[in-house]
């Protein structure tokens, strides 16, 4: 199983980026995928997650209304559309996946995701 994250880069505050996470080697049609981020000196945190089957989503409070997670079944890919970016969003963003669905209150728990991508750096300048 491989998760290939892409789409990071340098953007000015207020700008937008779209991250992509393409899964290969298997499909996660009944599972869950998420986007996590880790800033320097900080712990990894869940930004958003989505249940593949019914589309149930989770968003961290800090990104609600600015970020949108979505999935493309045909492409076996999950996206994170980010807008209204600010310097506090600067981090390495990782996508993660698991085979089983998670209940709503567990979507953000990183230890429940066994598969991880390599990370893509997002830098937001002020």
């Amino acid at each position: 199983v491989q998760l290939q994250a892409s789409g990071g880069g340098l953007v000015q505050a207020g700008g937008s980026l779209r991250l992509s996470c393409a899964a290969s080697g298997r499909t996660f049609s009944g599972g869950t995928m998420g986007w996590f981020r880790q800033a320097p000196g900080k712990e990894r945190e869940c930004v958003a997650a989505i249940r593949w089957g019914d589309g149930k989503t989770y968003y961290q409070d800090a990104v609600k209304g600015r970020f949108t997670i979505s999935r493309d079944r045909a492409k076996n890919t999950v996206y994170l559309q980010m807008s209204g970016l600010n310097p506090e969003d600067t981090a390495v963003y990782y996508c993660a996946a698991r085979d089983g669905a998670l209940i709503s209150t567990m979507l953000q728990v990183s230890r429940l995701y066994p598969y991880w991508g390599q990370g893509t750096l997002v830098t937001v300048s002020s």
Side-chain angles (χ1 to χ4, degrees):
V1 177
Q2 282 194 329
L3 300 178
Q4 183 68 42
S6 61
L10 174 64
V11 64
Q12 289 188 330
S16 299
L17 283 174
R18 188 178 80 157
L19 305 183
S20 300
C21 177
S24 60
R26 72 193 303 163
T27 61
F28 294 95
S29 58
T32 308
M33 293 185 76
W35 284 99
F36 294 76
R37 68 185 179 186
Q38 188 165 20
K42 295 187 177 181
E43 293 188 356
R44 185 173 54 190
E45 59 183 3
C46 184
V47 175
I50 187 167
R51 270 197 315 237
W52 201 269
D54 63 3
K56 175 66 177 180
T57 58
Y58 161 86
Y59 293 99
Q60 182 192 105
D61 286 345
V63 308
K64 284 180 180 177
R66 300 189 297 123
F67 291 10
T68 302
I69 188 170
S70 61
R71 71 212 189 287
D72 185 323
R73 295 176 185 274
K75 295 183 178 179
N76 210 25
T77 298
V78 170
Y79 303 98
L80 185 68
Q81 178 67 47
M82 306 185 294
S83 60
L85 286 162
N86 58 62
E88 290 70 38
D89 295 315
T90 295
V92 178
Y93 284 70
Y94 300 90
C95 62
R98 59 171 282 122
D99 290 306
L102 289 170
I103 61 174
S104 302
T105 54
M106 302 298 278
L107 288 169
Q108 73 273 27
V109 180
S110 62
R111 59 179 172 80
L112 297 178
Y113 292 81
Y115 306 108
W116 290 81
Q118 84 286 4
T120 185
L121 177 62
V122 173
T123 303
V124 185
S125 63
S126 58

